Amino acid sequence: MKSLVRKNILKVTPYKAGKPIEETKRELGLKEVIKLASNENPLGTSPKALAAIRKAVTGVNRYPDSQGFYLKRKLAEKLSLSPENIVLGNGSDELIDVIIKTFVENDEEVLTADITFLEYEIISRVNGRSVATVPLKDFRFDLPEMKKKITGKTKLVFIANPNNPTGTYVSKKELVGFLKDLPGHVLVVLDEAYDTFIDVPDFPRGTDFLKNNNVLVMRTFSKAYGLAGLRIGYAVGAPVLTSYMECVRQPFNVNLLAQAAAMAALDDDDFLRKTRKMVLEEKQYLSDALRRLKVSYVPSVANFILVDTAQSGVEVFQAMLKEGVIVRDMQQYGLNRYIRVTIGTRRENEKFVKAFKKVLKK
Ligand SMILES: Cc1ncc(COP(=O)(O)O)c(C=O)c1O
């Protein structure tokens, strides 16, 4: 009975994930399908992480370490921070939930951009919190406008840097300007899910802003580290913030295999280097191909590109599926002409370009 459901849940539109490969094969009777829809790592997973998972798998009769002791220690060393600065999560998705639950009171508000990672708004609404949004400007977070939108009720500001689905970023200068003289009741969350792919000098690393005590940074192992299926991410901030997040998260939120895999992945510099090189080179390849097709796109510092198809993005998405290529339509974001394409391997990108040419001609 609908009347049993909390009122704010009735208003929530569920998150629509990228279409899985198996489902597409089954539904369309296709043998070969590639997925460029969820910004995953097409090179797979670090061989060191895979070996660690195999080794850890016999221990799954035991609960995982609820404190994530070794992983936090390793991350702390890498980041030149202390383990008390770190909260582990079942992906950044869970951390968004933990952050909202820890910091936003019933009558307080979350502020973000109108076109950004949808989970900020969905999870806020599930928790019964209201959300204010500020339009992007030229596909970028408009921090001066966002600052003007801050009221006595604003508690949390989510900035996806780089932004998903646009691949744009806020510069160091813009972030410094935003943080300067920010009211003391406002906490800023910098979501750096794609930080590993950055190749611009003026990108602000969130970890450089922690001393303000009003900044949290989120990162994930789902993208460059190739561990999306295991669900693991982390947040960093001042212990005066993270210690309360520790009270809110579930005790065994990060599973045993994920902890083992993440530890090993952090040691696999070679895999990370290969991934980064592939993404940067292949982004160039895809951008060149799009330019040749006279298709406009938003220049990206992440591992995906937002492409203007100049027609219905949903129709292009469906036509691409028939060609065995899963991309992401942008209808949920209100970008009806657009699709988002994850950077794949050369073979995948060639398949995308071939299929896209065919679809555009129809
Ligand atoms: C900006 C942003 N934040 C967070 C996430 C979620 O990452 P995770 O897999 O760690 O939950 C994504 C995933 O697409 C993302 O694009």
Side-chain angles (χ1 to χ4, degrees):
M1 244 194 338
K2 217 170 167 181
S3 59
L4 296 176
V5 180
R6 279 167 53 219
K7 286 186 195 62
N8 47 304
I9 303 296
L10 293 174
K11 284 185 264 166
V12 170
T13 313
Y15 183 79
K16 196 170 146 235
K19 203 169 168 64
I21 292 178
E22 279 314 313
E23 184 182 303
T24 310
K25 282 185 180 168
R26 197 172 60 237
E27 287 176 0
L28 295 171
L30 294 169
K31 280 218 170 62
E32 209 208 303
V33 170
I34 61 162
K35 184 179 175 206
L36 303 175
S38 300
N39 307 336
E40 297 145 338
N41 189 333
L43 294 182
T45 302
S46 133
K48 287 189 180 170
L50 287 178
I53 293 167
R54 277 189 207 103
K55 193 163 165 225
V57 83
T58 52
V60 293
N61 56 316
R62 303 286 175 199
Y63 284 97
D65 174 6
S66 89
Q67 300 304 316
F69 177 84
Y70 294 106
L71 178 55
K72 278 189 187 172
R73 193 171 68 177
K74 194 172 216 81
L75 276 169
E77 260 168 41
K78 285 241 170 212
L79 300 168
S80 305
L81 292 168
S82 118
E84 287 71 43
N85 290 114
I86 300 167
V87 183
L88 302 177
N90 195 255
S92 317
D93 282 347
E94 190 209 10
L95 291 163
I96 296 168
D97 188 51
V98 169
I99 290 169
I100 291 166
K101 287 193 167 110
T102 309
F103 299 107
V104 190
E105 299 277 10
N106 281 338
D107 56 348
E108 291 177 332
E109 219 170 59
V110 171
L111 176 65
T112 190
D114 63 341
I115 298 174
T116 186
F117 188 49
L118 289 167
E119 285 288 81
Y120 309 142
E121 179 154 357
I122 294 173
I123 299 172
S124 297
R125 296 211 186 280
V126 166
N127 281 297
R129 302 298 181 263
S130 48
V131 182
T133 58
V134 172
L136 296 181
K137 190 174 173 189
D138 300 328
F139 292 100
R140 304 174 68 243
F141 265 72
D142 187 349
L143 293 188
E145 276 308 309
M146 283 179 69
K147 201 162 175 179
K148 283 189 209 155
K149 261 278 178 82
I150 289 173
T151 67
K153 281 192 167 181
T154 312
K155 176 50 98 36
L156 209 57
V157 180
F158 280 108
I159 302 174
N161 204 27
N163 190 27
N164 176 9
T166 58
T168 54
Y169 69 101
V170 302
S171 69
K172 197 178 270 181
K173 197 169 158 215
E174 287 167 328
L175 183 63
V176 168
F178 181 76
L179 293 176
K180 189 167 181 280
D181 303 326
L182 202 66
H185 65 276
V186 179
L187 179 61
V188 178
V189 181
L190 300 169
D191 181 352
E192 298 186 346
Y194 303 96
D195 67 313
T196 342
F197 306 115
I198 301 295
D199 66 337
V200 287
D202 60 342
F203 182 84
R205 300 279 162 192
T207 41
D208 293 339
F209 295 86
L210 296 184
K211 60 181 176 309
N212 297 10
N213 281 3
N214 62 350
V215 171
L216 286 167
V217 181
M218 295 196 305
R219 293 190 182 151
T220 179
F221 286 91
S222 296
K223 309 297 175 184
Y225 289 97
L227 293 172
L230 276 182
R231 315 301 303 126
I232 177 160
Y234 60 94
V236 291
V240 66
L241 304 174
T242 53
S243 56
Y244 293 100
M245 289 169 66
E246 288 288 342
C247 306
V248 172
R249 71 167 176 86
Q250 299 281 325
F252 303 109
N253 59 338
V254 180
N255 73 73
L256 187 141
L257 300 181
Q259 290 189 36
M263 291 270 296
L266 283 173
D267 278 338
D268 200 339
D269 291 337
D270 195 38
F271 180 75
L272 208 60
R273 220 179 2 255
K274 272 192 202 139
T275 297
R276 207 179 122 81
K277 184 168 178 287
M278 186 271 303
V279 166
L280 297 180
E281 285 173 5
E282 291 306 310
K283 191 157 50 182
Q284 190 64 50
Y285 171 84
L286 266 188
S287 314
D288 291 346
L290 291 170
R291 266 197 303 276
R292 275 198 298 277
L293 290 172
K294 302 206 175 1
V295 169
S296 72
Y297 61 89
V298 181
S300 164
V301 295
N303 66 338
F304 54 84
I305 306 183
L306 185 65
V307 179
D308 185 353
T309 68
Q311 50 186 288
S312 157
V314 173
E315 282 172 22
V316 170
F317 159 75
Q318 278 157 354
M320 294 293 285
L321 275 189
K322 292 190 186 129
E323 301 298 321
V325 180
I326 312 172
V327 293
R328 194 74 160 260
D329 77 69
M330 292 283 106
Q331 199 176 34
Q332 277 190 104
Y333 296 86
L335 293 169
N336 293 339
R337 289 196 326 240
Y338 289 78
I339 55 168
R340 194 193 63 200
V341 186
T342 302
I343 311 294
T345 59
R346 178 59 57 93
R347 200 182 62 81
E348 290 173 330
N349 295 335
E350 282 171 354
K351 186 170 165 109
F352 165 80
V353 173
K354 197 169 157 210
F356 196 43
K357 263 189 201 159
K358 196 167 154 191
V359 166
L360 288 181
K361 268 199 205 126
K362 279 187 185 158

